[in-house]
Amino acid sequence: MQKQPTAGSCRYRYEKGEPLEDTTCTPGAISPAVTQENLAATICRSGGYTKGIRPPESVTGPEKRANAASYGYTGRLGDAEYDHLISLELGGDPNDTRNLWVEPPDPGHEPGSGVNNRKDPVESKLHTAVCSGKLTLRAAQQAIVTDWTTALSKLGLSSS
């Protein structure tokens, strides 16, 4: 298990009600295995990329519980996502604590209904733009780290 930030040391930020990470605890980390030059062989390859690098639940489960304590998250863990700030599909590091945080449910979430995460569609649109050559990998990574709620609009991509 990766060492997590000290319990209670991280604070969520909110933008338009959406949860954002503590930039000190979760600044993001990229995988050195993914570069602009090897996109076709990594994140853009057909058949997928993330399954082969995603850590198993036996690793992430204990980390998620420890990270929840770091953030002071007390809600149902089944309603929160142990999320990669820079998603795997954007070349984020799969198990670096600087890239993982317990993301609480979005506003209006029905407790007990599982994870809901409005960040996921943003990540998918950025991935599509990177793989189609409309956007560099670095630009997508920087936008998601800066503020995922504004990433699409700041990069001139539709948020719908």
Side-chain angles (χ1 to χ4, degrees):
M1 182 173 101
Q2 298 287 338
K3 183 174 172 28
Q4 300 292 319
T6 305
S9 66
C10 306
R11 299 282 178 264
Y12 293 111
R13 302 174 294 134
Y14 288 87
E15 185 65 41
K16 299 177 189 154
E18 292 291 338
L20 295 158
E21 77 294 341
D22 182 318
T23 58
T24 301
C25 295
T26 315
I30 57 172
S31 170
V34 179
T35 66
Q36 186 69 39
E37 292 72 33
N38 71 6
L39 293 175
T42 57
I43 65 171
C44 300
R45 74 177 182 222
S46 72
Y49 167 76
T50 63
K51 257 187 226 178
I53 63 159
R54 187 177 301 278
E57 199 279 329
S58 62
V59 170
T60 60
E63 289 176 356
K64 180 178 182 178
R65 289 186 288 279
N67 190 266
S70 299
Y71 271 90
Y73 179 77
T74 58
R76 290 183 77 251
L77 282 180
D79 289 336
E81 181 176 352
Y82 192 43
D83 197 26
H84 295 92
L85 176 59
I86 302 171
S87 68
L88 299 180
E89 67 184 326
L90 292 174
D93 192 280
N95 202 35
D96 185 319
T97 57
R98 298 171 300 162
N99 198 43
L100 286 155
W101 63 300
V102 171
E103 184 177 354
D106 287 322
H109 177 262
E110 182 67 36
S113 64
V115 173
N116 75 323
N117 182 341
R118 292 187 184 124
K119 184 173 167 268
D120 290 345
V122 172
E123 295 166 347
S124 293
K125 284 186 180 208
L126 291 173
H127 175 260
T128 298
V130 167
C131 291
S132 68
K134 291 180 183 170
L135 192 63
T136 66
L137 179 63
R138 180 108 174 107
Q141 291 170 337
Q142 286 179 323
I144 205 90
V145 164
T146 301
D147 180 346
W148 69 263
T149 67
T150 61
L152 297 177
S153 61
K154 286 194 176 189
L155 293 169
L157 302 171
S158 170
S159 62
S160 59

